Amino acid sequence: MRFIGDYTAKTDAKGRVFLPAQFRRTLETEGEMRLVLRNDLFQHCLVLCPESVWNAELDDLKSKLNRYNSKHQMMWRRFVANAELVELDSNGRFLIGKRKLEFAGIKSEVRFLAVDERIEVWDKDALERVLSEGDGLGQELEDLLGGEANL
């Protein structure tokens, strides 16, 4: 499953927000209606993913950890601590709790950014700042993928 798109929405006074219809259709097509919301590991945004994607991530991480290693145990604990199960209401909304809103700096306008099988949930202005910082994307891609022509 892959999501595509970049959408803006507003939270209501309770912290509820509509999941964009395009994302809801993708989830319905795949029979996935339960989502996991967690803090991102590297940015001040939230990550929303189908429960099956979350479970696959857990299985992958768990396979690399030793439960009898204290550092691994703490890593596991920190990884799962910020995750919460999210279900859409009949209107296609979900609740973003106060701690998560604060972590991501979300005030009212939210920007949903599809990133493969995950959806990032950003404060609208914060994402615009982050995206405007990287104006060298073409050069970065050339450095990574460029080389001799394959024509």
Side-chain angles (χ1 to χ4, degrees):
M1 164 182 343
R2 290 207 166 119
F3 296 102
I4 297 173
D6 179 354
Y7 304 94
T8 303
K10 289 188 182 229
T11 60
D12 67 12
K14 296 180 181 179
R16 294 176 301 197
V17 65
F18 287 98
L19 185 68
Q22 181 65 35
F23 296 156
R24 289 196 313 266
R25 281 193 291 276
T26 300
L27 289 166
E28 288 169 5
T29 300
E30 297 291 327
E32 293 257 13
M33 294 315 294
R34 291 167 43 114
L35 304 164
V36 174
L37 182 66
R38 66 173 172 82
N39 297 356
D40 185 68
L41 298 174
F42 304 105
Q43 300 285 334
H44 282 280
C45 69
L46 305 173
V47 177
L48 189 63
C49 62
E51 188 176 27
S52 65
V53 171
W54 170 251
N55 288 335
E57 284 182 8
L58 287 180
D59 291 344
D60 184 46
L61 178 58
K62 194 174 182 181
S63 73
K64 294 173 173 71
L65 298 176
N66 177 342
R67 72 173 52 185
Y68 300 104
N69 179 305
S70 62
K71 288 181 183 180
H72 288 192
Q73 191 178 67
M74 184 52 72
M75 189 185 316
W76 177 259
R77 193 175 286 127
R78 289 175 40 215
F79 186 75
V80 299
N82 291 310
E84 31 183 90
L85 193 59
V86 170
E87 292 191 54
L88 301 178
D89 68 14
S90 60
N91 295 316
R93 298 176 303 184
F94 68 97
L95 177 68
I96 303 174
K98 186 176 180 178
R99 284 188 329 199
K100 294 216 176 306
L101 289 170
E102 289 172 1
F103 172 81
I106 296 171
K107 295 155 199 68
S108 66
E109 283 194 283
V110 174
R111 195 150 154 204
F112 292 94
L113 179 64
V115 182
D116 201 16
E117 73 274 4
R118 294 171 190 77
I119 302 164
E120 292 182 347
V121 183
W122 289 81
D123 172 74
K124 181 181 176 277
D125 294 335
L127 180 58
E128 288 174 8
R129 281 190 304 275
V130 168
L131 293 178
S132 69
E133 291 171 3
D135 59 359
L137 178 61
Q139 185 61 52
E140 291 170 358
L141 287 171
E142 182 178 356
D143 294 345
L144 178 66
L145 303 171
E148 294 186 31
N150 294 325
L151 297 177

